[in-house]
Amino acid sequence: MASSNWFQPNAAPGRAGNAPAAPAEGQPPPPSGGEAPPAPFGGGAFSFLILALPLLLIFVMTRSQNKKQKQLEANLKVGDRVYTQSGILGRITDLSPNSPRVKLEIAPGVNVQILKSAIQGPDPGEVAAADAKVADKAKEPAKDKKS
C-alpha cells in the first residue's frame, strides 16, 4: 500500500513553503499593519438597519391587530351572533364589561363560556343576510317609483 500517512490532509495551497501565498492577479494585496479594510455597505449602521427594520415591521403589525381586537371586544353586546377562533358560531347571552369571559349559546340550551379575545368577529352568514336585506330595501322604492 501507500505510505502510512494516507489519511493526513494535504497542505493548503500556498502554504507548503515558508513564504506567504501571492495574491491572485487583479486582487489588492492584503492589508499590512493594524489597519482593517473598510466594511462593505457602511459597516455597523447597515447591519443595524438590517436587524431593526424587521423588528419595527413586526411591532407595527402586532399593534394594529391589537387595536382591531380591542375595538371588536368593545363593540360586543348581548344578542350578537359571532364566531370564535375555533370556528364555533353562537349568540352572546351574557356579557360582563369587567370580565374577560362571555357566555355563548351555540345550540338551544347549550351555553359555553369563552374568552372575549377568542371572538374573531360577527357571524359571516348574519352579515351577508343583513347586507341582502339592505339591498332588497334599496330596490323596493325604485320599483314603486317606476309604477
Side-chain angles (χ1 to χ4, degrees):
M1 282 220 150
S3 66
S4 63
N5 63 357
W6 61 271
F7 57 89
Q8 295 291 327
N10 293 336
R15 303 285 181 187
N18 291 338
E25 194 174 313
Q27 291 182 351
S32 59
E35 190 177 321
F41 306 114
F46 184 73
S47 60
F48 174 75
L49 285 176
I50 293 293
L51 294 173
L53 286 177
L55 293 175
L56 181 68
L57 183 66
I58 290 169
F59 173 74
V60 169
M61 289 173 36
T62 304
R63 187 167 179 233
S64 67
Q65 287 176 346
N66 287 342
K67 278 185 175 180
K68 287 180 185 177
Q69 184 66 28
K70 286 192 184 282
Q71 182 181 9
L72 173 72
E73 291 175 17
N75 292 336
L76 292 176
K77 53 189 179 295
V78 175
D80 285 351
R81 292 192 51 83
V82 295
Y83 73 100
T84 66
Q85 285 180 348
S86 60
I88 295 175
L89 299 172
R91 185 176 54 86
I92 296 175
T93 57
D94 185 27
L95 177 70
S96 174
N98 298 334
S99 174
R101 294 188 175 109
V102 172
K103 283 190 182 175
L104 202 66
E105 183 180 39
I106 57 175
V110 180
N111 292 324
V112 293
Q113 256 189 350
I114 64 165
L115 294 174
K116 287 181 186 176
S117 60
I119 295 175
Q120 289 294 302
D123 181 4
E126 290 289 315
V127 172
D131 289 344
K133 287 180 185 178
V134 169
D136 287 342
K137 287 182 182 181
K139 289 179 185 177
E140 286 177 12
K143 290 178 183 176
D144 291 338
K145 290 178 183 177
K146 289 181 182 177
S147 301

